[in-house]
Amino acid sequence: MTLGKVSLLVAGFIAAVALGVAIGPSLTHRDVSVTAPAAEISQPAAAPATAPRAAAPRAKTTKSAARAVAISTSTPALQTRLKPVLNSGASMTIAAEGFRDAEQFATVAHAARNTKVPFLLLKHRVLNEGQTLSAAIRSSRPDVDAASEAKRARNQARSDIAAISS
């Protein structure tokens, strides 16, 4: 009886290893952008605390928001305009991934350049941690006036969007 249990246990272990080898590569090498749209990836990142802050500026800038939706983050004109803002050699496709619109992408890119905070760090804090841009700047560079830097970056982004859409 003991020999039968041991043989079943070994057979089960071998089957589990074989199953792991068979499906492992498909689990570890999958592309997130193919399996889920970018909107689904960025939605859980928004924290409830940031919703009231984001609603007020949108109500004031309806035309700007409409233009931002019309321009995709993958638009060649936008990528050409933002390429000098990001570090040299940066992949624009990877940099733009996860942002809800072109204005948000351009705003974070300009804020990163203006404050000398790494773009990927600001992107992570805004998209994944759900921080506002000014909070992300403040946590990275406490010596900088984060609110004015966020406003400056937003104005630069809107200028970029306006130049592209006209």
Side-chain angles (χ1 to χ4, degrees), residues 72-120:
S72 171
T73 56
S74 63
T75 304
L78 177 71
Q79 291 190 359
T80 301
R81 191 157 181 101
L82 290 180
K83 187 72 171 169
V85 175
L86 297 174
N87 291 335
S88 62
S91 169
M92 293 299 288
T93 307
I94 294 172
E97 211 171 73
F99 289 102
R100 70 175 179 265
D101 57 38
E103 185 177 326
Q104 185 188 31
F105 170 49
T107 301
V108 172
H110 280 291
R113 188 186 81 195
N114 296 344
T115 60
K116 297 187 179 18
V117 174
F119 171 77
L120 291 177

mmCIF file of all heavy atoms in Angstrom, residues 72-120:
data_model
loop_
_atom_site.group_PDB
_atom_site.id
_atom_site.type_symbol
_atom_site.label_atom_id
_atom_site.label_comp_id
_atom_site.label_asym_id
_atom_site.label_seq_id
_atom_site.Cartn_x
_atom_site.Cartn_y
_atom_site.Cartn_z
ATOM 1 N N SER A 72 -4.303 60.618 -30.502
ATOM 2 C CA SER A 72 -3.860 59.407 -29.817
ATOM 3 C C SER A 72 -2.404 59.563 -29.389
ATOM 4 O O SER A 72 -1.648 60.335 -29.969
ATOM 5 C CB SER A 72 -3.995 58.219 -30.771
ATOM 6 O OG SER A 72 -3.396 57.083 -30.215
ATOM 7 N N THR A 73 -2.007 58.782 -28.381
ATOM 8 C CA THR A 73 -0.614 58.820 -27.938
ATOM 9 C C THR A 73 0.314 58.223 -28.986
ATOM 10 O O THR A 73 1.509 58.442 -28.950
ATOM 11 C CB THR A 73 -0.437 58.047 -26.616
ATOM 12 O OG1 THR A 73 -0.906 56.715 -26.791
ATOM 13 C CG2 THR A 73 -1.162 58.728 -25.492
ATOM 14 N N SER A 74 -0.239 57.477 -29.946
ATOM 15 C CA SER A 74 0.582 56.872 -30.992
ATOM 16 C C SER A 74 0.633 57.722 -32.254
ATOM 17 O O SER A 74 1.190 57.303 -33.257
ATOM 18 C CB SER A 74 0.053 55.475 -31.321
ATOM 19 O OG SER A 74 -1.266 55.580 -31.828
ATOM 20 N N THR A 75 0.080 58.929 -32.228
ATOM 21 C CA THR A 75 0.113 59.816 -33.378
ATOM 22 C C THR A 75 1.561 60.193 -33.687
ATOM 23 O O THR A 75 2.279 60.652 -32.793
ATOM 24 C CB THR A 75 -0.714 61.095 -33.101
ATOM 25 O OG1 THR A 75 -2.029 60.705 -32.740
ATOM 26 C CG2 THR A 75 -0.737 62.017 -34.289
ATOM 27 N N PRO A 76 2.000 60.001 -34.934
ATOM 28 C CA PRO A 76 3.397 60.314 -35.272
ATOM 29 C C PRO A 76 3.781 61.768 -34.998
ATOM 30 O O PRO A 76 4.895 62.042 -34.557
ATOM 31 C CB PRO A 76 3.484 60.007 -36.771
ATOM 32 C CG PRO A 76 2.382 59.033 -37.027
ATOM 33 C CD PRO A 76 1.297 59.375 -36.059
ATOM 34 N N ALA A 77 2.870 62.703 -35.224
ATOM 35 C CA ALA A 77 3.190 64.118 -34.972
ATOM 36 C C ALA A 77 3.451 64.364 -33.485
ATOM 37 O O ALA A 77 4.370 65.112 -33.130
ATOM 38 C CB ALA A 77 2.051 65.001 -35.466
ATOM 39 N N LEU A 78 2.667 63.753 -32.631
ATOM 40 C CA LEU A 78 2.871 63.906 -31.190
ATOM 41 C C LEU A 78 4.193 63.270 -30.775
ATOM 42 O O LEU A 78 4.960 63.855 -30.005
ATOM 43 C CB LEU A 78 1.718 63.277 -30.393
ATOM 44 C CG LEU A 78 1.877 63.324 -28.880
ATOM 45 C CD1 LEU A 78 1.714 64.754 -28.369
ATOM 46 C CD2 LEU A 78 0.874 62.411 -28.211
ATOM 47 N N GLN A 79 4.463 62.086 -31.287
ATOM 48 C CA GLN A 79 5.703 61.408 -30.925
ATOM 49 C C GLN A 79 6.925 62.188 -31.411
ATOM 50 O O GLN A 79 7.925 62.271 -30.712
ATOM 51 C CB GLN A 79 5.691 59.978 -31.452
ATOM 52 C CG GLN A 79 4.681 59.123 -30.724
ATOM 53 C CD GLN A 79 4.793 57.651 -31.045
ATOM 54 O OE1 GLN A 79 5.618 57.230 -31.834
ATOM 55 N NE2 GLN A 79 3.951 56.850 -30.414
ATOM 56 N N THR A 80 6.825 62.784 -32.589
ATOM 57 C CA THR A 80 7.927 63.603 -33.095
ATOM 58 C C THR A 80 8.130 64.829 -32.210
ATOM 59 O O THR A 80 9.258 65.214 -31.917
ATOM 60 C CB THR A 80 7.631 64.051 -34.544
ATOM 61 O OG1 THR A 80 7.456 62.886 -35.347
ATOM 62 C CG2 THR A 80 8.758 64.897 -35.099
ATOM 63 N N ARG A 81 7.042 65.420 -31.770
ATOM 64 C CA ARG A 81 7.116 66.616 -30.930
ATOM 65 C C ARG A 81 7.649 66.297 -29.534
ATOM 66 O O ARG A 81 8.350 67.110 -28.923
ATOM 67 C CB ARG A 81 5.748 67.261 -30.833
ATOM 68 C CG ARG A 81 5.759 68.623 -30.226
ATOM 69 C CD ARG A 81 4.551 69.408 -30.657
ATOM 70 N NE ARG A 81 4.553 70.725 -30.095
ATOM 71 C CZ ARG A 81 4.921 71.823 -30.754
ATOM 72 N NH1 ARG A 81 5.287 71.733 -31.996
ATOM 73 N NH2 ARG A 81 4.888 72.995 -30.157
ATOM 74 N N LEU A 82 7.326 65.120 -28.995
ATOM 75 C CA LEU A 82 7.746 64.770 -27.632
ATOM 76 C C LEU A 82 9.071 64.020 -27.574
ATOM 77 O O LEU A 82 9.622 63.838 -26.493
ATOM 78 C CB LEU A 82 6.658 63.947 -26.949
ATOM 79 C CG LEU A 82 5.381 64.701 -26.607
ATOM 80 C CD1 LEU A 82 4.383 63.773 -25.938
ATOM 81 C CD2 LEU A 82 5.661 65.901 -25.728
ATOM 82 N N LYS A 83 9.582 63.570 -28.707
ATOM 83 C CA LYS A 83 10.847 62.826 -28.717
ATOM 84 C C LYS A 83 11.980 63.622 -28.055
ATOM 85 O O LYS A 83 12.707 63.067 -27.241
ATOM 86 C CB LYS A 83 11.207 62.440 -30.157
ATOM 87 C CG LYS A 83 12.392 61.534 -30.262
ATOM 88 C CD LYS A 83 12.044 60.146 -29.793
ATOM 89 C CE LYS A 83 13.188 59.195 -30.119
ATOM 90 N NZ LYS A 83 13.019 57.916 -29.473
ATOM 91 N N PRO A 84 12.138 64.935 -28.357
ATOM 92 C CA PRO A 84 13.205 65.688 -27.685
ATOM 93 C C PRO A 84 12.961 65.888 -26.188
ATOM 94 O O PRO A 84 13.894 66.134 -25.439
ATOM 95 C CB PRO A 84 13.219 67.045 -28.395
ATOM 96 C CG PRO A 84 12.422 66.884 -29.628
ATOM 97 C CD PRO A 84 11.509 65.725 -29.411
ATOM 98 N N VAL A 85 11.719 65.795 -25.751
ATOM 99 C CA VAL A 85 11.391 65.997 -24.337
ATOM 100 C C VAL A 85 11.865 64.810 -23.504
ATOM 101 O O VAL A 85 12.354 64.974 -22.394
ATOM 102 C CB VAL A 85 9.873 66.225 -24.164
ATOM 103 C CG1 VAL A 85 9.495 66.313 -22.699
ATOM 104 C CG2 VAL A 85 9.440 67.475 -24.899
ATOM 105 N N LEU A 86 11.741 63.606 -24.058
ATOM 106 C CA LEU A 86 12.175 62.404 -23.344
ATOM 107 C C LEU A 86 13.671 62.191 -23.543
ATOM 108 O O LEU A 86 14.289 62.810 -24.409
ATOM 109 C CB LEU A 86 11.392 61.188 -23.848
ATOM 110 C CG LEU A 86 9.884 61.238 -23.597
ATOM 111 C CD1 LEU A 86 9.208 60.056 -24.274
ATOM 112 C CD2 LEU A 86 9.589 61.219 -22.117
ATOM 113 N N ASN A 87 14.247 61.290 -22.779
ATOM 114 C CA ASN A 87 15.670 60.984 -22.915
ATOM 115 C C ASN A 87 15.950 60.396 -24.285
ATOM 116 O O ASN A 87 15.100 59.713 -24.868
ATOM 117 C CB ASN A 87 16.110 59.992 -21.837
ATOM 118 C CG ASN A 87 16.099 60.609 -20.461
ATOM 119 O OD1 ASN A 87 16.211 61.818 -20.316
ATOM 120 N ND2 ASN A 87 15.963 59.784 -19.443
ATOM 121 N N SER A 88 17.158 60.628 -24.778
ATOM 122 C CA SER A 88 17.509 60.067 -26.078
ATOM 123 C C SER A 88 17.519 58.549 -25.992
ATOM 124 O O SER A 88 17.920 57.969 -24.986
ATOM 125 C CB SER A 88 18.886 60.574 -26.521
ATOM 126 O OG SER A 88 19.872 60.159 -25.602
ATOM 127 N N GLY A 89 17.021 57.923 -27.029
ATOM 128 C CA GLY A 89 16.951 56.469 -27.071
ATOM 129 C C GLY A 89 15.701 55.887 -26.438
ATOM 130 O O GLY A 89 15.520 54.680 -26.407
ATOM 131 N N ALA A 90 14.824 56.729 -25.912
ATOM 132 C CA ALA A 90 13.596 56.240 -25.284
ATOM 133 C C ALA A 90 12.635 55.729 -26.355
ATOM 134 O O ALA A 90 12.498 56.321 -27.414
ATOM 135 C CB ALA A 90 12.926 57.349 -24.485
ATOM 136 N N SER A 91 11.987 54.626 -26.068
ATOM 137 C CA SER A 91 10.989 54.075 -26.972
ATOM 138 C C SER A 91 9.675 54.807 -26.755
ATOM 139 O O SER A 91 9.091 54.745 -25.672
ATOM 140 C CB SER A 91 10.800 52.585 -26.716
ATOM 141 O OG SER A 91 9.671 52.098 -27.408
ATOM 142 N N MET A 92 9.219 55.496 -27.784
ATOM 143 C CA MET A 92 7.990 56.270 -27.655
ATOM 144 C C MET A 92 6.782 55.363 -27.422
ATOM 145 O O MET A 92 5.861 55.735 -26.704
ATOM 146 C CB MET A 92 7.767 57.130 -28.899
ATOM 147 C CG MET A 92 8.794 58.227 -29.057
ATOM 148 S SD MET A 92 8.789 59.386 -27.687
ATOM 149 C CE MET A 92 7.280 60.248 -27.996
ATOM 150 N N THR A 93 6.779 54.190 -28.011
ATOM 151 C CA THR A 93 5.664 53.260 -27.828
ATOM 152 C C THR A 93 5.553 52.838 -26.376
ATOM 153 O O THR A 93 4.468 52.841 -25.798
ATOM 154 C CB THR A 93 5.850 52.024 -28.726
ATOM 155 O OG1 THR A 93 6.064 52.462 -30.066
ATOM 156 C CG2 THR A 93 4.652 51.116 -28.667
ATOM 157 N N ILE A 94 6.677 52.490 -25.779
ATOM 158 C CA ILE A 94 6.677 52.070 -24.375
ATOM 159 C C ILE A 94 6.371 53.266 -23.469
ATOM 160 O O ILE A 94 5.632 53.142 -22.498
ATOM 161 C CB ILE A 94 8.025 51.421 -24.006
ATOM 162 C CG1 ILE A 94 8.186 50.111 -24.776
ATOM 163 C CG2 ILE A 94 8.141 51.193 -22.510
ATOM 164 C CD1 ILE A 94 9.548 49.475 -24.641
ATOM 165 N N ALA A 95 6.913 54.431 -23.807
ATOM 166 C CA ALA A 95 6.689 55.619 -22.978
ATOM 167 C C ALA A 95 5.211 56.007 -22.957
ATOM 168 O O ALA A 95 4.681 56.401 -21.924
ATOM 169 C CB ALA A 95 7.532 56.779 -23.490
ATOM 170 N N ALA A 96 4.529 55.882 -24.088
ATOM 171 C CA ALA A 96 3.130 56.311 -24.186
ATOM 172 C C ALA A 96 2.141 55.269 -23.676
ATOM 173 O O ALA A 96 0.961 55.569 -23.501
ATOM 174 C CB ALA A 96 2.799 56.640 -25.638
ATOM 175 N N GLU A 97 2.597 54.080 -23.397
ATOM 176 C CA GLU A 97 1.734 52.985 -22.968
ATOM 177 C C GLU A 97 1.068 53.277 -21.624
ATOM 178 O O GLU A 97 1.717 53.673 -20.676
ATOM 179 C CB GLU A 97 2.584 51.719 -22.839
ATOM 180 C CG GLU A 97 1.874 50.448 -23.131
ATOM 181 C CD GLU A 97 2.883 49.308 -23.187
ATOM 182 O OE1 GLU A 97 3.374 48.905 -22.110
ATOM 183 O OE2 GLU A 97 3.181 48.856 -24.290
ATOM 184 N N GLY A 98 -0.249 53.097 -21.564
ATOM 185 C CA GLY A 98 -0.981 53.201 -20.313
ATOM 186 C C GLY A 98 -1.641 54.541 -20.054
ATOM 187 O O GLY A 98 -2.501 54.636 -19.181
ATOM 188 N N PHE A 99 -1.251 55.585 -20.765
ATOM 189 C CA PHE A 99 -1.864 56.888 -20.547
ATOM 190 C C PHE A 99 -3.252 56.925 -21.168
ATOM 191 O O PHE A 99 -3.492 56.324 -22.208
ATOM 192 C CB PHE A 99 -1.001 58.004 -21.137
ATOM 193 C CG PHE A 99 0.261 58.239 -20.355
ATOM 194 C CD1 PHE A 99 1.474 57.756 -20.807
ATOM 195 C CD2 PHE A 99 0.224 58.925 -19.162
ATOM 196 C CE1 PHE A 99 2.633 57.965 -20.085
ATOM 197 C CE2 PHE A 99 1.379 59.144 -18.427
ATOM 198 C CZ PHE A 99 2.588 58.655 -18.888
ATOM 199 N N ARG A 100 -4.172 57.657 -20.533
ATOM 200 C CA ARG A 100 -5.549 57.698 -21.019
ATOM 201 C C ARG A 100 -5.696 58.554 -22.266
ATOM 202 O O ARG A 100 -6.596 58.351 -23.063
ATOM 203 C CB ARG A 100 -6.501 58.167 -19.920
ATOM 204 C CG ARG A 100 -6.364 59.619 -19.560
ATOM 205 C CD ARG A 100 -7.422 60.074 -18.555
ATOM 206 N NE ARG A 100 -7.216 61.456 -18.241
ATOM 207 C CZ ARG A 100 -6.530 61.909 -17.204
ATOM 208 N NH1 ARG A 100 -6.007 61.051 -16.359
ATOM 209 N NH2 ARG A 100 -6.372 63.195 -17.012
ATOM 210 N N ASP A 101 -4.825 59.564 -22.429
ATOM 211 C CA ASP A 101 -4.885 60.402 -23.620
ATOM 212 C C ASP A 101 -3.529 61.067 -23.853
ATOM 213 O O ASP A 101 -2.611 60.952 -23.047
ATOM 214 C CB ASP A 101 -5.998 61.447 -23.516
ATOM 215 C CG ASP A 101 -5.878 62.343 -22.291
ATOM 216 O OD1 ASP A 101 -4.750 62.713 -21.921
ATOM 217 O OD2 ASP A 101 -6.923 62.678 -21.708
ATOM 218 N N ALA A 102 -3.439 61.757 -24.980
ATOM 219 C CA ALA A 102 -2.182 62.380 -25.374
ATOM 220 C C ALA A 102 -1.792 63.510 -24.424
ATOM 221 O O ALA A 102 -0.610 63.724 -24.156
ATOM 222 C CB ALA A 102 -2.298 62.910 -26.798
ATOM 223 N N GLU A 103 -2.769 64.232 -23.901
ATOM 224 C CA GLU A 103 -2.456 65.342 -23.003
ATOM 225 C C GLU A 103 -1.814 64.853 -21.708
ATOM 226 O O GLU A 103 -0.850 65.436 -21.223
ATOM 227 C CB GLU A 103 -3.713 66.145 -22.687
ATOM 228 C CG GLU A 103 -3.419 67.378 -21.861
ATOM 229 C CD GLU A 103 -4.646 68.237 -21.598
ATOM 230 O OE1 GLU A 103 -5.529 68.299 -22.475
ATOM 231 O OE2 GLU A 103 -4.714 68.826 -20.510
ATOM 232 N N GLN A 104 -2.316 63.764 -21.166
ATOM 233 C CA GLN A 104 -1.734 63.221 -19.933
ATOM 234 C C GLN A 104 -0.296 62.762 -20.190
ATOM 235 O O GLN A 104 0.604 63.017 -19.388
ATOM 236 C CB GLN A 104 -2.582 62.059 -19.409
ATOM 237 C CG GLN A 104 -2.093 61.528 -18.074
ATOM 238 C CD GLN A 104 -2.806 60.268 -17.637
ATOM 239 O OE1 GLN A 104 -3.219 59.462 -18.458
ATOM 240 N NE2 GLN A 104 -2.939 60.097 -16.341
ATOM 241 N N PHE A 105 -0.078 62.100 -21.320
ATOM 242 C CA PHE A 105 1.265 61.635 -21.682
ATOM 243 C C PHE A 105 2.221 62.819 -21.831
ATOM 244 O O PHE A 105 3.309 62.832 -21.261
ATOM 245 C CB PHE A 105 1.182 60.818 -22.975
ATOM 246 C CG PHE A 105 2.510 60.480 -23.599
ATOM 247 C CD1 PHE A 105 3.543 59.937 -22.862
ATOM 248 C CD2 PHE A 105 2.716 60.690 -24.953
ATOM 249 C CE1 PHE A 105 4.758 59.621 -23.446
ATOM 250 C CE2 PHE A 105 3.912 60.371 -25.549
ATOM 251 C CZ PHE A 105 4.945 59.839 -24.792
ATOM 252 N N ALA A 106 1.807 63.828 -22.574
ATOM 253 C CA ALA A 106 2.662 64.992 -22.804
ATOM 254 C C ALA A 106 2.917 65.755 -21.502
ATOM 255 O O ALA A 106 4.028 66.251 -21.279
ATOM 256 C CB ALA A 106 2.023 65.908 -23.839
ATOM 257 N N THR A 107 1.922 65.830 -20.636
ATOM 258 C CA THR A 107 2.086 66.536 -19.364
ATOM 259 C C THR A 107 3.137 65.864 -18.495
ATOM 260 O O THR A 107 4.022 66.522 -17.940
ATOM 261 C CB THR A 107 0.741 66.608 -18.612
ATOM 262 O OG1 THR A 107 -0.213 67.282 -19.431
ATOM 263 C CG2 THR A 107 0.886 67.342 -17.293
ATOM 264 N N VAL A 108 3.079 64.554 -18.383
ATOM 265 C CA VAL A 108 4.067 63.829 -17.563
ATOM 266 C C VAL A 108 5.453 63.944 -18.189
ATOM 267 O O VAL A 108 6.453 64.111 -17.483
ATOM 268 C CB VAL A 108 3.640 62.356 -17.372
ATOM 269 C CG1 VAL A 108 4.735 61.554 -16.690
ATOM 270 C CG2 VAL A 108 2.364 62.285 -16.550
ATOM 271 N N ALA A 109 5.529 63.885 -19.509
ATOM 272 C CA ALA A 109 6.822 64.005 -20.186
ATOM 273 C C ALA A 109 7.446 65.381 -19.925
ATOM 274 O O ALA A 109 8.635 65.484 -19.600
ATOM 275 C CB ALA A 109 6.654 63.767 -21.682
ATOM 276 N N HIS A 110 6.657 66.436 -20.060
ATOM 277 C CA HIS A 110 7.184 67.779 -19.808
ATOM 278 C C HIS A 110 7.551 67.964 -18.337
ATOM 279 O O HIS A 110 8.579 68.584 -18.018
ATOM 280 C CB HIS A 110 6.162 68.839 -20.225
ATOM 281 C CG HIS A 110 6.157 69.109 -21.697
ATOM 282 N ND1 HIS A 110 7.190 69.735 -22.349
ATOM 283 C CD2 HIS A 110 5.241 68.821 -22.650
ATOM 284 C CE1 HIS A 110 6.912 69.842 -23.633
ATOM 285 N NE2 HIS A 110 5.729 69.279 -23.843
ATOM 286 N N ALA A 111 6.739 67.443 -17.438
ATOM 287 C CA ALA A 111 7.041 67.558 -16.007
ATOM 288 C C ALA A 111 8.350 66.845 -15.676
ATOM 289 O O ALA A 111 9.156 67.348 -14.882
ATOM 290 C CB ALA A 111 5.900 66.988 -15.175
ATOM 291 N N ALA A 112 8.577 65.703 -16.285
ATOM 292 C CA ALA A 112 9.818 64.965 -16.032
ATOM 293 C C ALA A 112 11.027 65.773 -16.494
ATOM 294 O O ALA A 112 12.037 65.863 -15.795
ATOM 295 C CB ALA A 112 9.770 63.610 -16.739
ATOM 296 N N ARG A 113 10.914 66.378 -17.672
ATOM 297 C CA ARG A 113 12.038 67.176 -18.169
ATOM 298 C C ARG A 113 12.238 68.436 -17.335
ATOM 299 O O ARG A 113 13.363 68.791 -16.985
ATOM 300 C CB ARG A 113 11.836 67.556 -19.628
ATOM 301 C CG ARG A 113 13.106 68.221 -20.204
ATOM 302 C CD ARG A 113 12.920 68.727 -21.574
ATOM 303 N NE ARG A 113 12.244 70.026 -21.452
ATOM 304 C CZ ARG A 113 11.658 70.643 -22.443
ATOM 305 N NH1 ARG A 113 11.594 70.106 -23.620
ATOM 306 N NH2 ARG A 113 11.091 71.810 -22.261
ATOM 307 N N ASN A 114 11.160 69.118 -17.004
ATOM 308 C CA ASN A 114 11.277 70.380 -16.262
ATOM 309 C C ASN A 114 11.842 70.194 -14.861
ATOM 310 O O ASN A 114 12.585 71.033 -14.377
ATOM 311 C CB ASN A 114 9.911 71.063 -16.161
ATOM 312 C CG ASN A 114 9.375 71.480 -17.513
ATOM 313 O OD1 ASN A 114 10.096 71.539 -18.510
ATOM 314 N ND2 ASN A 114 8.084 71.761 -17.568
ATOM 315 N N THR A 115 11.459 69.109 -14.202
ATOM 316 C CA THR A 115 11.876 68.893 -12.810
ATOM 317 C C THR A 115 13.095 67.987 -12.676
ATOM 318 O O THR A 115 13.593 67.786 -11.582
ATOM 319 C CB THR A 115 10.729 68.268 -11.996
ATOM 320 O OG1 THR A 115 10.373 67.016 -12.579
ATOM 321 C CG2 THR A 115 9.538 69.205 -11.940
ATOM 322 N N LYS A 116 13.528 67.419 -13.803
ATOM 323 C CA LYS A 116 14.662 66.478 -13.814
ATOM 324 C C LYS A 116 14.385 65.231 -12.969
ATOM 325 O O LYS A 116 15.286 64.653 -12.377
ATOM 326 C CB LYS A 116 15.948 67.167 -13.401
ATOM 327 C CG LYS A 116 16.360 68.265 -14.370
ATOM 328 C CD LYS A 116 17.686 68.831 -14.055
ATOM 329 C CE LYS A 116 18.175 69.899 -14.984
ATOM 330 N NZ LYS A 116 17.310 70.595 -15.848
ATOM 331 N N VAL A 117 13.115 64.842 -12.927
ATOM 332 C CA VAL A 117 12.711 63.585 -12.293
ATOM 333 C C VAL A 117 12.596 62.569 -13.427
ATOM 334 O O VAL A 117 12.047 62.891 -14.478
ATOM 335 C CB VAL A 117 11.352 63.729 -11.569
ATOM 336 C CG1 VAL A 117 10.870 62.397 -11.040
ATOM 337 C CG2 VAL A 117 11.470 64.729 -10.443
ATOM 338 N N PRO A 118 13.110 61.350 -13.271
ATOM 339 C CA PRO A 118 13.005 60.368 -14.349
ATOM 340 C C PRO A 118 11.546 60.164 -14.796
ATOM 341 O O PRO A 118 10.644 60.028 -13.968
ATOM 342 C CB PRO A 118 13.578 59.091 -13.739
ATOM 343 C CG PRO A 118 14.477 59.574 -12.653
ATOM 344 C CD PRO A 118 13.847 60.835 -12.132
ATOM 345 N N PHE A 119 11.349 60.142 -16.112
ATOM 346 C CA PHE A 119 10.015 59.997 -16.685
ATOM 347 C C PHE A 119 9.323 58.738 -16.179
ATOM 348 O O PHE A 119 8.148 58.761 -15.806
ATOM 349 C CB PHE A 119 10.100 59.979 -18.218
ATOM 350 C CG PHE A 119 8.810 59.610 -18.888
ATOM 351 C CD1 PHE A 119 7.777 60.533 -18.994
ATOM 352 C CD2 PHE A 119 8.598 58.343 -19.398
ATOM 353 C CE1 PHE A 119 6.575 60.198 -19.598
ATOM 354 C CE2 PHE A 119 7.410 57.999 -19.999
ATOM 355 C CZ PHE A 119 6.391 58.934 -20.104
ATOM 356 N N LEU A 120 10.048 57.616 -16.166
ATOM 357 C CA LEU A 120 9.428 56.353 -15.740
ATOM 358 C C LEU A 120 8.977 56.393 -14.290
ATOM 359 O O LEU A 120 7.973 55.780 -13.929
ATOM 360 C CB LEU A 120 10.381 55.175 -15.978
ATOM 361 C CG LEU A 120 10.622 54.835 -17.444
ATOM 362 C CD1 LEU A 120 11.640 53.711 -17.571
ATOM 363 C CD2 LEU A 120 9.321 54.449 -18.123
#
